Amino acid sequence: MPVRIWRKPLDAEKAKPPCGEIHILKDLCKGCGYCIEFCPRDVLEKSEEINKRGVHPPRVADESRCVVCSFCTAVCPDFAIFVIEKPCEGGR
Amino acid sequence: MSEKDVSKAEAEEIRIGVYVCHCGLNIAGSVDCAEVAEFASTLPHVVLAKDLRYTCSDQGQEIIKQDIKEHRLNRVVVASCSPRLHEPTFRKVCEEAGLNKYLFEMANIREHCSWVHLYNRKAATEKAKDLVKMAVMRAALLQPAVESEVPIRPEALVIGGGVAGIQAALDLADTGYHVYLVEKEPSIGGRMAQIDKTFPTMDCSICILAPKMSDVGHHPNITLLTYSEILDVKGYIGNFKVKVLKKPRYVTSDCTACGECAKVCPMIAPNEFDVGLAIRHAIYTPFAQAVPSTYVIDRELCLNKEGVIVCDKCTKACERQAINFEMKPEEIELEVGTIIVAIGADVFDPSIIPQYGYGRYPNVITSLEFERLINAGGPSGGKLLRPSDMQIPKTVAFVQCVGSRSEKTGKPYCSNVCCMNTIKDALLIKEHWPETQIYVFYVDIRAFGKGFEDLYRRARKEGVIFIRGLPAEIVEDKQTRDLWLIGENTLQKKLYRIRVGMVILSVGLEPRKETDLIQRLLTLSRSKDGFFMEAHPKLRPVDAATGGIFFAGCAESPKDIKDSVTQASAAAARAGILMAKGKVTVEALTPIWIPEKCQACGLCVKVCPYNAIKLDKERKKIEIIEAACAGCGTCGAECPFGALVMRHFTDEQIIAQIDAATEVDADKKIIAFCCNWCSYAGADFAGVSRIQYPENVRIIRTMCSGRVAPKFVERAFARGAAAVLVSGCHLGDCHYINANYQTKKRVERLWKKMEKAGLNKERLQLVWVSAAEGEKFAAKIREMQPIVESVTPEEIEKAKEVFQKALEL
């Protein structure tokens, strides 16, 4: 059996992934779902809510998983979502 | 033999010269050599028979040479010691006199006769006569043979880039051969790169390794293939075709290892190099001195999955634009002449020993984790920190033999390095924190190497406490996370209960999990501990049994850095010898295919341990790859149609020996078939050790017990033999990988047949005897004595009848 990795790395606290603060401009959203589809960390999900344009905008399911890759911003056709990096508290 | 050969042999009159050696008194002491020589002169085809004092001496050799010329001898039989000793000598004598070396035969009347029957001159002399008769009858059927030559490609493959692989590659490359070094990890360096200091000199491990690693990276004769795996190996000595999978790094060689990419990479995971004690990013280099220094992207961890580039932080950070997510895996075909296997070892996972609490108690660590903790470049910056509270422990205990020397864990062997490693580690702790109380719990301390004892003594002088007796249990104090070791001090016969801040389990080494794959691809054999087995433990310690393949480092057995380097240089030299010669001669023991008799059934293909026979079912053809064939003869024994003639061990030659041995008093004799490498050598060893056993056994040598066709056994019984013994190497230790499994299968089939026919199956015995088990061989013959004595004339007759068909061959 090869070496098994089971411990929490000693420097895990120091080297945390960045934390994101996700801003969704609900009323700009046209419900294409790209952001949900393409988020590599499954941070977003569809909400029940109906916006001005009559669609379900996304909502944040688990913000702590966001690592600020900002692909949601890049992929959104309607400039309805953006992420800013925030100081981490406690981290993942 | 085909008809054409028979007529040719008949055309040439067979003239045999027999030389019975006294070997001083070694043979003459218990065998009447003159009488044996006189007897030999009465045998068919024998034109002269002499007894000589020392046949192997220069004078003896001269006499043989002269006789060959004067008397036009075309076969020579020397009755003396074991062919394993002097066959090469006398073969050379024949060649020098212009006689093909395959026309020489030996009768072993020393190891197998005079030395094991010291006290019965009459019986020993009779046995010697029989042995000479068998040799003469066989000699009459010997055929000249020319050894074929196989070219050796002057390129080598080294599998594994640890210190052994590095050394082997550098030595070969410096000699002038082109070397491919294949390493599965992103960097070479192996275990040595993970270790902080080396024993007994306390050198910094990476400091002495890094220059070598960098030499490998820059050497014009080395093609370094890291992050690559061996997919397939075809071919044979001199001409291996190797398929290698080069996994994509997603970073090109433009990388300058500046590390800007890793700074921005949002994904983290435990770093395997630090045994998970430190983190790495999805884009990383395993350690600072890595060669190649090019970073690598772990796509499993990276946010960018196939087809979608979600995160481009590293791409943006890389000034050299060295990141390329479009890289694909590459399959590379290499052609090499020799292969060095240096795949190293894994460390034992102690969590399977629940009483030590590894994996549950944070302050129980392994010796490999210790190396990373004490290393200045490691996750704690060289501080020995307790994982539970990041404090330096005041008391430390080392527990030895964790996954070594224990039947319970399935690791009965000694891992060789752990004792010294612990002593070194203890001294390192003393060096940094002299006040630390250190206990070492051991079974035995093995400090056998150069400078080891000095280091051991130094450790004791510095106050390291050595306690004999491993703890039965380690218990954790839930509050302080301290650990109690409870066990028995076996020197004082007292129980101990000792509290420490940290426990270091000195874990053993075990074969890499890739060993299975490499074994299969290269048709290698392994010892029962799972490490690769060398061709000979004393005299060919770095050669594999398969030609052109060599071992270096822990792949062969656990060993320290010095031994790994020594072995690597040896392996490189051995591979270099082959490549410098440029060709290799293959002993003419390979089979000859008789197309008229072949039914293309494919049985031979199935039993060949070397994949040396190819079947073309449609064209009813087989092809024998001579260079891959090792000449065990298992195929010849398996072929039901006699379509494979094993050169130098033909059916006719072996049958001639059986017939000669059973001509007189067969009903009192054991016919024994012994394989050249283990059981024949075991019988030789019985001789060397002067272990006495009954005189009634007649040994017939085959290269492998797999050569023993059922018809040979049947023939012996049909000729009225009282008993038959088949013996070979231990299962799993076969010189021909696994050919002796065929032996087992065939003997079991014969037993069934005997039982069915109402014969006493005890008359056929099977025994595995290693070259060191002379006593076992002798014991077997003694054990068979009552069987031989109890066989009734009726039983002999019945066996003759049952196996009558075997006489028709």
Side-chain angles (χ1 to χ4, degrees):
Chain A
M1 226 183 304
V3 183
R4 199 167 54 97
I5 307 274
W6 63 278
R7 283 180 205 278
K8 188 174 159 198
L10 301 184
D11 53 355
E13 297 296 317
K14 276 179 246 158
K16 268 185 219 140
C19 300
E21 197 177 282
I22 302 161
H23 297 269
I24 301 167
L25 310 174
K26 286 177 193 160
D27 288 336
L28 291 183
C29 175
K30 67 173 173 219
C32 68
Y34 282 0
C35 53
I36 302 171
E37 184 74 14
F38 285 103
C39 175
R41 304 278 298 160
D42 299 325
V43 173
L44 303 164
E45 63 185 5
K46 207 170 204 144
S47 65
E48 301 298 313
E49 197 180 330
I50 297 173
N51 70 1
K52 266 192 192 160
R53 295 170 79 168
V55 296
H56 299 292
R59 83 169 162 228
V60 177
D62 182 359
E63 194 165 70
S64 71
R65 290 181 55 80
C66 178
V67 293
V68 206
C69 73
S70 296
F71 193 63
C72 47
T73 314
V75 84
C76 178
D78 295 276
F79 307 103
I81 187 166
F82 65 95
V83 184
I84 49 174
E85 199 170 330
K86 66 172 183 190
C88 286
E89 280 295 330
R92 273 192 296 166
Chain B
M1 225 188 304
S2 73
E3 275 170 279
K4 209 170 99 194
D5 287 337
V6 174
S7 60
K8 206 170 107 197
E10 274 170 3
E12 185 196 23
E13 184 204 353
I14 291 170
R15 299 174 64 82
I16 305 178
V18 180
Y19 300 87
V20 182
C21 184
H22 289 233
C23 195
L25 281 179
N26 282 313
I27 295 169
S30 40
V31 168
D32 188 334
C33 296
E35 194 185 320
V36 175
E38 205 186 306
F39 167 80
S41 65
T42 66
L43 294 169
H45 307 299
V46 175
V47 293
L48 105 154
K50 292 181 176 169
D51 56 309
L52 304 174
R53 247 177 99 72
Y54 286 106
T55 317
C56 61
S57 66
D58 277 357
Q59 295 95 315
Q61 294 188 20
E62 267 320 300
I63 293 173
I64 298 177
K65 278 188 218 167
Q66 263 174 16
D67 285 351
I68 291 174
K69 284 175 195 148
E70 245 171 65
H71 298 271
R72 292 181 295 117
L73 300 181
N74 52 20
R75 304 286 190 284
V76 171
V77 172
V78 172
S80 59
C81 51
S82 170
R84 289 172 52 85
L85 188 66
H86 271 317
E87 190 178 58
T89 315
F90 294 120
R91 278 184 160 185
K92 214 169 127 228
V93 170
C94 290
E95 271 186 327
E96 280 166 8
L99 191 63
N100 185 281
K101 69 179 188 185
Y102 286 90
L103 297 175
F104 169 77
E105 176 64 12
M106 242 173 144
N108 185 346
I109 60 166
R110 193 178 74 172
E111 280 86 340
H112 290 185
C113 187
S114 68
W115 275 351
V116 289
H117 314 308
L118 286 171
Y119 311 110
N120 191 343
R121 192 173 174 84
K122 192 162 176 284
T125 305
E126 285 312 307
K127 180 172 174 179
K129 285 183 192 170
D130 253 13
L131 294 178
V132 169
K133 192 193 330 178
M134 288 160 68
V136 167
M137 297 318 234
R138 174 176 148 83
L141 296 169
L142 291 177
Q143 291 293 319
V146 180
E147 295 184 336
S148 57
E149 275 181 359
V150 183
I152 306 260
R153 218 185 151 82
E155 285 184 282
L157 165 69
V158 177
I159 308 174
V163 66
I166 287 171
Q167 184 67 38
L170 282 175
D171 280 1
L172 281 172
D174 285 345
T175 316
Y177 299 109
H178 184 233
V179 182
Y180 296 97
L181 178 58
V182 174
E183 166 60 50
K184 76 174 179 351
E185 299 294 336
S187 168
I188 55 170
R191 294 277 176 231
M192 186 175 169
Q194 288 181 290
I195 294 170
D196 180 47
K197 298 283 188 304
T198 62
F199 61 78
T201 48
M202 310 296 255
D203 282 309
C204 159
S205 187
I206 193 70
C207 313
I208 54 178
L209 181 64
K212 275 187 181 291
M213 290 166 61
S214 130
D215 284 353
V216 167
H218 296 130
H219 206 294
N221 280 343
I222 298 178
T223 305
L224 181 57
L225 298 166
T226 48
Y227 216 35
S228 302
E229 286 165 15
I230 307 287
L231 286 182
D232 194 24
V233 180
K234 289 252 154 51
Y236 40 84
I237 178 169
N239 300 278
F240 294 103
K241 288 191 173 56
V242 185
K243 233 186 246 166
V244 177
L245 177 73
K246 195 168 189 296
K247 292 185 279 185
R249 293 179 90 96
Y250 304 105
V251 180
T252 66
S253 52
D254 286 338
C255 173
T256 58
C258 67
E260 292 300 319
C261 52
K263 277 188 201 156
V264 297
C265 178
M267 299 305 291
I268 58 168
N271 189 359
E272 296 81 357
F273 180 80
D274 284 312
V275 209
L277 288 167
I279 63 112
R280 64 165 171 82
H281 292 269
I283 185 162
Y284 71 107
T285 185
F287 55 103
Q289 299 85 345
V291 171
S293 57
T294 312
Y295 273 54
V296 57
I297 296 177
D298 174 359
R299 280 300 281 274
E300 292 279 304
L301 183 63
C302 177
L303 293 170
N304 299 331
K305 301 296 176 233
E306 208 53 49
V308 193
I309 303 301
V310 168
C311 171
D312 58 356
K313 289 187 177 170
C314 53
T315 320
K316 276 187 187 148
C318 183
E319 270 179 32
R320 304 263 298 174
Q321 307 208 321
I323 293 161
N324 174 9
F325 283 102
E326 298 302 306
M327 272 190 190
K328 294 274 175 290
E330 253 180 283
E331 261 187 39
I332 303 170
E333 298 241 6
L334 312 177
E335 288 188 17
V336 295
T338 54
I339 298 177
I340 293 176
V341 178
I343 62 171
D346 268 328
V347 298
F348 177 77
D349 178 358
S351 49
I352 68 165
I353 308 177
Q355 58 270 36
Y356 286 169
Y358 182 78
R360 284 182 291 133
Y361 307 154
N363 295 334
V364 177
I365 67 169
T366 66
S367 38
L368 192 61
E369 287 173 317
F370 174 87
E371 294 296 338
R372 296 315 303 150
L373 283 179
I374 200 78
N375 186 285
S380 59
K383 287 207 182 78
L384 182 64
L385 299 180
R386 282 163 35 116
S388 70
D389 54 9
M390 298 294 186
Q391 297 300 311
I392 297 169
K394 300 223 163 20
T395 47
V396 172
F398 287 89
V399 178
Q400 294 306 108
C401 292
V402 178
S404 305
R405 304 184 66 195
S406 156
E407 295 283 352
K408 253 191 218 158
T409 55
K411 310 279 170 199
Y413 55 89
C414 169
S415 288
N416 199 305
V417 298
C418 341
C419 283
M420 289 318 293
N421 193 60
T422 287
I423 292 169
K424 172 207 79 183
D425 289 348
L427 281 168
L428 280 178
I429 299 175
K430 283 278 182 196
E431 190 183 305
H432 293 292
W433 305 281
E435 299 308 313
T436 314
Q437 178 88 279
I438 302 172
Y439 299 95
V440 176
F441 297 90
Y442 69 97
V443 182
D444 298 294
I445 292 289
R446 297 187 164 171
F448 51 89
K450 185 178 180 182
F452 289 8
E453 187 66 28
D454 287 344
L455 202 70
Y456 180 30
R457 203 171 298 146
R458 214 176 103 198
R460 279 180 298 176
K461 221 165 145 190
E462 299 208 8
V464 178
I465 300 163
F466 288 84
I467 298 176
R468 206 181 86 172
L470 300 182
E473 199 182 355
I474 296 173
V475 183
E476 189 188 44
D477 182 317
K478 287 277 168 283
Q479 239 132 52
T480 58
R481 297 282 190 181
D482 280 353
L483 301 147
W484 287 94
L485 292 97
I486 305 159
E488 189 199 342
N489 182 330
T490 55
L491 285 180
Q492 298 178 341
K493 296 217 164 107
K494 271 189 196 155
L495 294 181
Y496 61 74
R497 224 178 116 83
I498 292 169
R499 183 184 182 139
V500 296
M502 183 182 232
V503 172
I504 297 152
L505 302 177
S506 194
V507 286
L509 298 177
E510 61 184 29
R512 286 258 185 208
K513 66 176 198 303
E514 292 83 2
T515 308
D516 283 336
L517 176 78
I518 299 295
Q519 176 187 24
R520 211 182 55 239
L521 292 179
L522 297 175
T523 49
L524 302 171
S525 40
R526 288 160 76 174
S527 66
K528 68 178 193 317
D529 298 333
F531 295 96
F532 288 121
M533 192 147 76
E534 64 279 32
H536 189 283
K538 300 286 162 211
L539 301 177
R540 288 173 68 199
V542 302
D543 299 24
T546 312
I549 299 172
F550 305 91
F551 299 125
C554 290
E556 181 261 333
S557 69
K559 53 176 67 68
D560 65 12
I561 292 166
K562 179 185 172 179
D563 285 355
S564 293
V565 170
T566 310
Q567 202 185 19
S569 286
R574 298 286 295 162
I577 290 169
L578 283 179
M579 293 191 286
K581 266 195 194 160
K583 62 191 179 190
V584 65
T585 52
V586 184
E587 254 202 291
L589 302 174
T590 52
I592 292 172
W593 177 53
I594 314 287
E596 308 87 76
K597 292 189 179 173
C598 182
Q599 305 285 318
C601 66
L603 282 175
C604 52
V605 179
K606 277 186 202 143
V607 298
C608 177
Y610 297 89
N611 300 322
I613 310 178
K614 273 194 199 147
L615 175 69
D616 186 343
K617 201 120 205 175
E618 272 165 33
R619 288 157 62 200
K620 281 204 155 197
K621 255 186 80 167
I622 60 163
E623 189 199 336
I624 296 160
I625 304 149
E626 276 214 14
C629 172
C632 62
T634 312
C635 54
E638 190 75 8
C639 180
F641 311 108
L644 287 167
V645 174
M646 290 311 301
R647 285 192 292 170
H648 211 55
F649 289 92
T650 65
D651 288 0
E652 286 80 3
Q653 289 163 2
I654 293 172
I655 284 169
Q657 285 172 285
I658 300 170
D659 287 0
T662 51
E663 210 164 70
V664 189
D665 293 338
D667 59 341
K668 293 186 185 68
K669 283 178 190 165
I670 303 168
I671 305 300
F673 297 95
C674 290
C675 77
N676 181 58
W677 305 101
C678 287
S679 50
Y680 192 92
D684 278 358
F685 191 62
V688 173
S689 319
R690 313 294 199 276
I691 299 169
Q692 305 295 299
Y693 57 80
E695 298 88 1
N696 55 6
V697 60
R698 303 290 178 268
I699 295 173
I700 294 171
R701 180 170 72 128
T702 55
M703 290 314 284
C704 176
S705 63
R707 171 70 187 105
V708 182
K711 63 185 166 195
F712 300 156
V713 177
E714 293 175 359
R715 177 89 174 195
F717 283 126
R719 297 269 303 173
V724 174
L725 172 66
V726 178
S727 67
C729 310
H730 285 268
L731 288 172
D733 278 2
C734 183
H735 185 81
Y736 300 99
I737 302 169
N738 54 15
N740 57 357
Y741 281 91
Q742 305 302 330
T743 315
K744 184 167 172 265
K745 190 186 78 190
R746 289 175 193 138
V747 169
E748 280 166 357
R749 220 179 276 152
L750 279 163
W751 276 332
K752 258 189 208 150
K753 197 169 173 181
M754 289 172 77
E755 245 174 348
K756 231 178 173 178
L759 295 172
N760 177 10
K761 73 171 199 172
E762 294 249 289
R763 290 172 62 194
L764 171 60
Q765 294 278 330
L766 175 67
V767 67
W768 310 123
V769 175
S770 81
E773 293 176 330
E775 177 49 44
K776 189 174 178 190
F777 181 83
K780 190 74 197 174
I781 304 300
R782 276 182 232 126
E783 180 194 318
M784 287 177 77
Q785 182 67 7
I787 302 171
V788 172
E789 280 165 7
S790 66
V791 175
T792 62
E794 292 75 43
E795 283 181 294
I796 298 275
E797 284 311 311
K798 191 160 182 201
K800 278 186 178 175
E801 212 173 283
V802 170
F803 295 122
Q804 203 181 5
K805 260 197 172 160
L807 292 177
E808 291 165 15
L809 301 162

